[in-house]
Amino acid sequence: MSGRIVVFGGSGFIGRQVCRVLAADPRVDVVVRPGRDRLDLLDGTVDALAELLRETRPDAVVNCTGALSGSGHDLVRANTAVTAKLVEAITLATPGLRFVRLGSAGEYGRVPPDTSVTEDDPTDPVSEYGVSHLAATRLLDLASAAGQVDGITVRVFNPIGPGLHEENMLGRAARLIHDARRSGAGSICLGPLSAHRDFVDVRDVASGVVAALLAPDPGARVFNLASGRAVRSRELVRLLAAEAGFTGGIQERAAAPGRSAAVDWMRGDGSRAARLLGWTPAYELPDSVKAVWAGVDER
């Protein structure tokens, strides 16, 4: 596969990195990044989206948009309905087109401690966020089985790295540490940090997305993009504090985010992506944390 790739959400945290990797790939001729001024995926019609695809004539489409927080309605609208809209538009304009969407580890729900979850394990999300993504994955599976699209979901675990925003725990910690250093505050306050998470660098996520986009025959419809290690959130924040030179207290009295509060352990098995896509993570955790801190002033 080569030629023209349309990236929705190309200015976002993951989308920027996906565009960077695509631009450096010799198999890709053109990267098209439609902005909201051209078409808003939330409010635009299926017909308008199909017309955009006819105009741009892509060889593949990737959707890097989505919502991390909000009401159940907000999450379903952004994560589920947008997927359905893209499937319908592709079916109208360019049936059978490769379409990659960003899914989430939240689709799995609770995972037994000390285990690595695989794509074949049961999915039982425990939050509206996870439900919204699992529904989108199922919609894409059904559309692919019917020949409407050539769909792939990449389940992204906990992405960190350059450009991390404050809806993510580590991005929020970086902003609080930055502000505390400026004001001289002796501590910061976050939610509970006892859970283990699989933190994967956003630059590795981007290379996995591109591998799925360009694979001639991926051999599967769902891939985990995970580091394969579980790290306690508290340890990650301490790494960030050390990188920032912050020696103050780290309190854990704020509310936990609804999308993951009920999950104490998460570690992904990325062997399918390694076997079928040739993808393995390249960035070590300290490199990712360093990049998070380096980008605080830019945000």
Side-chain angles (χ1 to χ4, degrees):
M1 180 176 297
S2 61
R4 301 171 66 84
I5 311 294
V6 168
V7 181
F8 291 102
S11 62
F13 173 51
I14 295 177
R16 282 198 306 272
Q17 298 297 331
V18 168
C19 290
R20 179 186 60 81
V21 175
L22 285 170
D25 196 302
R27 296 170 292 178
V28 177
D29 298 322
V30 179
V31 179
V32 181
R33 299 192 293 177
R36 287 186 178 178
D37 56 339
R38 176 63 179 82
L39 187 137
D40 189 320
L41 281 180
L42 283 176
D43 296 322
T45 66
V46 170
D47 287 341
L49 181 52
E51 182 58 31
L52 184 151
L53 294 175
R54 291 188 190 99
E55 289 176 10
T56 54
R57 296 174 289 104
D59 296 292
V61 169
V62 56
N63 182 28
C64 297
T65 70
L68 292 173
S69 59
S71 68
H73 175 265
D74 294 332
L75 293 165
V76 168
R77 184 167 176 253
N79 300 329
T80 315
V82 161
T83 298
K85 187 180 293 185
L86 279 161
V87 165
E88 291 186 33
I90 290 169
T91 304
L92 286 173
T94 51
L97 188 72
R98 173 69 53 82
F99 170 33
V100 175
R101 66 169 297 272
L102 304 186
S104 170
E107 297 176 48
Y108 291 114
R110 295 184 181 90
V111 174
D114 301 318
T115 62
S116 297
V117 68
T118 75
E119 296 88 346
D120 294 324
D121 285 330
T123 48
D124 187 16
V126 294
S127 67
E128 292 170 326
Y129 171 78
V131 168
S132 72
H133 270 292
L134 181 59
T137 296
R138 290 293 298 129
L139 283 172
L140 190 56
D141 286 347
L142 291 171
S144 297
Q148 295 171 264
V149 297
D150 179 10
I152 297 174
T153 294
V154 290
R155 284 184 176 142
V156 180
F157 280 62
N158 288 72
I160 60 174
L164 185 65
H165 47 73
E166 294 172 42
E167 282 190 281
N168 297 81
M169 178 275 297
L170 196 66
R172 187 162 56 256
R175 170 53 59 190
L176 291 172
I177 289 172
H178 177 274
D179 293 347
R181 290 188 64 201
R182 282 194 166 183
S183 67
S187 66
I188 64 168
C189 185
L190 295 164
L193 299 173
S194 59
H196 286 80
R197 294 286 181 263
D198 188 318
F199 296 98
V200 59
D201 195 286
V202 66
R203 293 164 290 188
D204 284 326
V205 170
S207 66
V209 170
V210 173
L213 271 169
L214 302 182
D217 181 13
R221 293 294 177 194
V222 178
F223 292 93
N224 287 341
L225 297 185
S227 72
R229 65 194 170 213
V231 177
R232 195 181 291 274
S233 298
R234 188 176 297 121
E235 178 185 339
L236 193 69
V237 174
R238 286 173 178 166
L239 278 174
L240 178 68
E243 175 65 29
F246 178 69
T247 58
I250 300 171
Q251 301 175 19
E252 302 178 30
R253 294 186 286 104
R259 66 178 181 274
S260 59
V263 178
D264 295 324
W265 170 273
M266 184 58 71
R267 183 175 67 201
D269 183 325
S271 58
R272 177 184 287 182
R275 185 176 71 255
L276 297 179
L277 300 179
W279 176 85
T280 54
Y283 288 89
E284 296 295 330
L285 199 60
D287 298 327
S288 304
V289 171
K290 186 184 293 288
V292 170
W293 180 247
V296 173
D297 279 330
E298 295 174 14
R299 295 199 307 277

